[in-house]
Amino acid sequence: MPEWGPHPDVPEPLAKLAEHFPLAIISNAADRHADQNVAKLGASFHAVYTAEMSQAYKPRLRAFEFMYEQLGCRPEETMHVSSSPRYDLQSATDLGVRDTVYLNRGNEPSAPFYHAYEVTSLAGVVDILGI
């Protein structure tokens, strides 16, 4: 969608996070949409993975397993940030991610069992990481 863009509070803290950490995206978007969507976020990403690449849509664990295989790291070595406990944080927790952050945009109910932190803006993640 040409008018789609990130929440206004995303580009600045995301760029700050990218200065300190390799960022990766796992998206249910098709390959043909991923690059244009990511470009609008205003930050550098180490990797972008799609459902099309993994042959699985989130919340299926295979999508996440594919990402970790490609990254060459273990879930417990990462932080997963999402506005969806249902499609992201539950799966991330099930795979062993300890540092999960629910970016509460008011679209889904909080699910404290599936996140270690809860913030209302991405700047909250910058604060959690102390950068």
Side-chain angles (χ1 to χ4, degrees):
M1 295 176 56
E3 68 278 355
W4 181 88
H7 285 264
D9 68 335
V10 167
E12 185 178 334
L14 193 60
K16 184 175 258 190
L17 290 167
E19 291 174 9
H20 298 274
F21 301 99
L23 303 180
I25 290 177
I26 180 169
S27 172
N28 276 346
D31 290 352
R32 64 189 169 134
H33 300 293
D35 288 341
Q36 66 189 24
N37 292 345
V38 171
K40 294 178 182 182
L41 295 173
S44 174
F45 284 86
H46 171 74
V48 177
Y49 303 106
T50 66
E52 191 172 344
M53 292 174 184
S54 68
Q55 297 295 294
Y57 285 98
K58 300 182 294 179
R60 289 186 57 208
L61 294 181
R62 180 64 197 133
F64 293 86
E65 290 165 343
F66 173 84
M67 177 183 68
Y68 287 113
E69 288 166 7
Q70 299 305 305
L71 290 172
C73 67
R74 297 184 317 265
E76 60 271 17
E77 298 172 321
T78 65
M79 172 180 272
H80 194 94
V81 180
S82 176
S83 62
S84 178
R86 179 177 298 138
Y87 284 92
D88 280 277
L89 300 178
Q90 182 175 359
S91 298
T93 299
D94 289 349
L95 283 176
V97 178
R98 291 184 213 117
D99 292 318
T100 51
V101 181
Y102 176 38
L103 179 53
N104 189 343
R105 298 278 189 204
N107 299 321
E108 292 184 30
S110 182
F113 180 78
Y114 294 115
H115 58 269
Y117 306 96
E118 185 168 335
V119 297
T120 57
S121 76
L122 202 54
V125 177
V126 171
D127 292 342
I128 289 167
L129 295 170
I131 54 174

